[in-house]
Every structure is written in structure tokens, then in C-alpha cells.
Amino acid sequence: MTRTVVLDGTLDAFRAHARALIGEGVPPEGIRWRDPLRSPRAEGAEPGLFGATDAPSPLPDRTAAVRSPALELPRAYVDALPTISCYRDESVWRALYVVAWRIARGDRGLMADPLDADVAVLQRMRKAIGRDAHKMHAFVRFRRIEDPGARGGERFIAWYRPSHLIVEREASFFRGRFPSMDWSILTPDRCAHWDGREVRFTEGAPRDAAPDHDELEELWCTYYASIFNPARVKISAMVAEMPRKFWDTLPETKQIPELLADVPRRLEEMARNSRAVADSAAPFVPFGAPLDELRETLPGCEGCELHRNGTRAVAGEGPQDASTVLLGEQPGDTEERAGRPFIGPAGEVLDAALEVAGIRREALYVTNAVKHFRHEPAPRGKRRLHKRPTIEHVTRCQPWLDAELAAVAPRALVCLGATAARAVFGPTFRMPDPGAAPEARTSRYADATLVTFHPAAILRAEDPARAAAMRAHLEQTLRATLADPAATTARPSPG
Ligand code: URA
């Protein structure tokens, strides 16, 4: 007799059933694996809803499960499970069970045999997931929406339909790539939401509401309401978290019903204020490539609208084995004309500070958070006036920085100014006081990451005392990279 096992779509449920079934000695041909979330009928069905006949089979009692050393599956199988289980077809469970069964029956080296037909099925599934993940990395398109509850007052929303159930698995990729912006990726299966602290998952966006990009705001409004967190309304989180029974007695909480009633208006306002944004640089970046190749590829980047402003992208400069990286904001007028970072007036201030700190510039890798020059419109031939890049420009350009810093892998990173610091630590980062001592902290780019003042800010400072303090901070910070003698190369002392 064939047993039918109905799964709830989760790997945990498969694990529990497979363990019990193998323990009971039930062979693969004795089981029919059903998974309504992965069956063809799931197409168009409301996510998360099971029909009467689709109710998941009760989980076997773990304590009653037969304990057998054969059920300790080898690492090659266990490690592959989370990826392969993203495959969007219920046949995946049978494929996984067949291999687990054969391993448990004594074929411990099975996973190492790529010519085995059952292993080859799993490999094909694993590759399909890999391709799907790659596509998702390249093709998720975010749209900016004003969101007073999000960091920097903006949230980036994408709607995407992956071929496989990879949203939860891939959320960590997007968290790593876009740590500094609040984003949501909505898919028919699951929605992922990042707020700078954690990724939360909610139910999928129904397929019949699957929008083209123009309908995104409407869909988002629905989902915003479903994840709306009253603690983010501008009254204190403490009050918002207060049990309802106290609401009547605390005067501040009187605002809560009003604020909540205001949500639809805010959502409409968000939709009105939304606007399309250009793509990220991600599809243009040959991640994993050496610096030479990054430099060659950079001119083709169309990751944001700045590539259309008639300026060229300026690549970083310096040796790939540099132990220290200096990160600026964006190239200036002189840098854009010459195609080299920090060679204009700000570069002169930087060079002077390096000299005082006793550091040879040629030993460093020097680059910018944004590779194009954002400027005010200027008459032809006139010096173009710098315009600060927005956090959106920084975020869109970040894949270049990720790729450069992956290639250099520095021990020390010095952020010159707030834009550079926000590219690394997020948009809420606040600059230190000029009188503060340099402080090294860990970032995802370097163990010792320091923040100091931008040379151009020193030039602009109107108060001479403040300018002097900022300059001293810059020099001390550069010198601090020498605290670890391997972090950068000191100029040989004269004589
Ligand atoms: N300012 C920067 O941030 N970078 C440069 O390359 C030049 C000026």
C-alpha cells in the first residue's frame, strides 16, 4: 500500500517525516509525497491556504522516531538540503527521500558520485536554484517610496517572481548588498522586509494581484498595512507597545487611534510621492573580478541616471594588495576630467595630510562611494559645481564598492566624510566631533574601519579653529592606520 504524506512546504516537515519513514523501513516506492505549495494547482491559488484534502499530515512524534546511526546523514547531503528544498516542484521531496534512503541503507558515499542517476537529479535541481538566485540578484528592481517610518524616510520596494522558492534563502544576499536602505521584496510566495536590524517575512503577494511595475505602489499599500508597526508611529515606542487597557489613562496615547486612522492617507501620500528609479549597478559589475577588470568594465555602468549626465565614471586607484583603502564621496570636477580620484583641491589637502601622517599614497587604494560626478548644471567649459549624491546614488553604486573591496580585502578602511561613512555604516551614521579621538570599528569591508573628515569639508569650513581640528582629526586617523604596521606602508624615515 502506498502512503501519502502531505507536507506543509517546509524542510522541517520533510525532515521529520523522512526520518520517521526511513526508521520504519518504508522504501521510496511506498510513499507518495504531496506538497500543495509546490503542486501545479498552487499556481493562482491563494498562498498559504490548504484545501480540505491538502491538510498537512501530522508530524511524526519525534520521541517515538526510531533512533538509528544510519539516520545520521553525511554532511554533503545535509548541506545541500536547504538549497535543493527551494525547488518548486513536489517531485523534489521524492528525489531527496530516494537519496536519503539509499544512504541510510549503507551507500554512505553516494553524494560523491555525480554519475549516479538519483544524485544527478539532485544536482540538476541544485543548479536550477543557483541560476534562479543569480537571476534574482541581477533583476530585482527597487522603486523608491517615501515612508516616514523607514530609515531616511524612504523605502525601496521590488516585486519579483522567482522560478523557485528562494526568497528566504536569498534575503541574506540583499541584506548584505543593500544594508543601508530599508527594502521590501514582494513575491507571490513570501515577502521579505529589511529595516536595518532584521529581515522579516510575511505571506506572499497573491498572484492575481501580480502587478506590472506601475501597480507596485498599490500592492505595496496593501502590504504596508499588513506589516504596519504602530511602534514606528512617531510617538514613543514604549507608549505604542503599552497594553490597550492603559490607553484611556495615558494622555499621549489618545493620539494612537488618530494616528492609525491616518494610515490610509499616509499610504496615499506615499503612493503619490513615489517615483521610478534607475536600476542598480549590480548587473554591470563583474563581482569577483580583479581590479583591472573592474576598471575596464566601469565605463559601461548604467546603474543610475548619473551615467547620462555627460561625465565619465572614475575608477579607484592603487595596488590590489593595498592594506588600506581610502573611501571618498564622488569624483569632483578635476577628477572627472582626468579620470583619477582625489587629484583636485581636495586631493591636495589629502596628500598634505598623508605626508604629515608619514604614509605614501601609492601604497593605498583610493576610491569613491559614487563613481560618477554629480554636479549642478554649468555653462560649457566652466567649473561644474559639486552636488552631493543622495543615499540612492550611493546604494545603487554600492555593488562597485563591494567588488573593489572584495578584490582588495584591506585590513583598514578610512571613510572620508559622511557620504563614505554612510555607504559603510548606513544612512543614519553621524560624523564624530572633530575633537574626538579616531575610533576603529569593524565593518563588513575591513576589521579596522575609521571615519574622519572629508578634505573638501576642511576646505569649506568657515571657522579656522574648526578647520584645524578637522585637519588634525584627518591626520590622526590616517596615522592610526599605521598602528597596525601591516595596515599601510609608512614612508621610510629620512636618513
Ligand atoms: N572628493 C571626493 O570625495 N573624491 C574625489 O575623488 C575628489 C573629491
Side-chain angles (χ1 to χ4, degrees), residues 7-29:
L7 296 175
D8 63 2
T10 64
L11 178 56
D12 283 348
F14 168 75
R15 277 203 195 98
H17 284 289
R19 193 180 291 119
L21 290 162
I22 289 174
E24 280 179 55
V26 184
E29 53 281 11

Side-chain angles (χ1 to χ4, degrees), residues 314-315 327-336 340-347 350 361 366-370 386 416 419-420 454-456:
V314 177
L327 179 63
E329 179 191 76
Q330 61 167 7
D333 183 83
T334 316
E335 285 79 9
E336 192 275 329
R340 295 182 53 206
F342 280 107
I343 53 151
L350 177 63
R361 176 161 167 169
V366 181
T367 191
N368 285 300
V370 173
H386 163 277
L416 301 169
T419 301
H454 194 287

Side-chain angles (χ1 to χ4, degrees), residues 344-420:
E348 284 172 23
V349 175
L350 177 63
D351 286 345
L354 286 169
E355 171 108 35
V356 172
I359 296 172
R360 282 189 311 117
R361 176 161 167 169
E362 307 79 73
L364 309 174
Y365 183 75
V366 181
T367 191
N368 285 300
V370 173
K371 305 296 188 251
H372 276 95
F373 174 34
R374 185 168 190 240
H375 59 81
E376 303 284 359
R380 227 180 151 66
K382 285 264 184 303
R383 190 173 175 81
R384 297 157 299 176
L385 286 183
H386 163 277
K387 194 168 176 189
R388 198 176 229 207
T390 64
I391 192 71
E392 188 178 321
H393 293 114
V394 172
T395 305
R396 267 154 221 294
C397 215
Q398 195 128 13
W400 287 110
L401 187 60
D402 290 347
E404 287 173 292
L405 288 174
V408 178
R411 281 197 216 135
L413 170 66
V414 178
C415 301
L416 301 169
T419 301

Side-chain angles (χ1 to χ4, degrees), residues 168-469:
E168 279 167 322
R169 183 176 177 270
E170 294 314 312
S172 59
F173 168 87
F174 289 96
R175 190 188 55 203
R177 175 151 283 178
F178 303 115
S180 45
M181 65 193 212
D182 282 19
W183 51 253
S184 290
I185 300 176
L186 314 181
T187 85
D189 313 304
R190 300 283 277 157
C191 299
H193 312 274
W194 167 247
D195 63 4
R197 286 183 302 274
E198 59 170 348
V199 181
R200 286 185 303 131
F201 296 95
T202 53
E203 289 227 326
R207 277 151 210 244
D208 55 5
D212 65 20
H213 229 68
D214 291 342
E215 290 158 341
L216 194 53
E217 286 75 29
E218 208 181 302
L219 181 69
W220 169 241
C221 288
T222 312
Y223 277 80
Y224 181 88
S226 76
I227 65 155
F228 181 70
N229 177 358
R232 287 192 151 187
V233 176
K234 278 206 172 117
I235 55 176
S236 86
M238 197 194 87
V239 171
E241 304 281 17
M242 198 71 77
R244 250 171 205 281
K245 62 179 176 179
F246 298 129
W247 285 23
D248 285 346
T249 51
L250 288 172
E252 313 88 295
T253 55
K254 296 250 166 12
Q255 297 175 59
I256 292 176
E258 203 182 300
L259 286 165
L260 292 179
D262 196 33
V263 168
R265 188 197 58 74
R266 276 179 48 195
L267 293 175
E268 259 181 45
E269 190 179 283
M270 279 162 52
R272 262 202 317 279
N273 291 336
S274 71
R275 62 186 173 82
V277 290
D279 301 340
S280 138
F284 302 94
V285 180
F287 195 85
L291 289 180
D292 291 356
E293 194 179 328
L294 295 175
R295 165 180 285 278
E296 273 166 30
T297 326
L298 180 64
C301 184
E302 299 182 359
C304 73
E305 87 290 354
L306 294 180
H307 80 275
R308 287 194 233 108
N309 73 359
T311 67
R312 72 169 128 182
V314 177
E317 191 175 77
Q320 181 153 325
D321 62 357
S323 313
T324 299
V325 169
L326 302 190
L327 179 63
E329 179 191 76
Q330 61 167 7
D333 183 83
T334 316
E335 285 79 9
E336 192 275 329
R337 290 182 205 276
R340 295 182 53 206
F342 280 107
I343 53 151
E348 284 172 23
V349 175
L350 177 63
D351 286 345
L354 286 169
E355 171 108 35
V356 172
I359 296 172
R360 282 189 311 117
R361 176 161 167 169
E362 307 79 73
L364 309 174
Y365 183 75
V366 181
T367 191
N368 285 300
V370 173
K371 305 296 188 251
H372 276 95
F373 174 34
R374 185 168 190 240
H375 59 81
E376 303 284 359
R380 227 180 151 66
K382 285 264 184 303
R383 190 173 175 81
R384 297 157 299 176
L385 286 183
H386 163 277
K387 194 168 176 189
R388 198 176 229 207
T390 64
I391 192 71
E392 188 178 321
H393 293 114
V394 172
T395 305
R396 267 154 221 294
C397 215
Q398 195 128 13
W400 287 110
L401 187 60
D402 290 347
E404 287 173 292
L405 288 174
V408 178
R411 281 197 216 135
L413 170 66
V414 178
C415 301
L416 301 169
T419 301
R422 287 176 188 153
V424 176
F425 293 113
T428 52
F429 184 88
R430 300 190 75 84
M431 288 297 288
D433 191 87
E439 189 191 342
R441 55 189 104 192
T442 304
S443 74
R444 68 188 189 287
Y445 292 131
D447 283 347
T449 303
L450 299 104
V451 177
T452 184
F453 295 91
H454 194 287
I458 299 175
L459 284 175
R460 278 196 310 268
E462 282 169 9
D463 172 4
R466 186 170 168 82

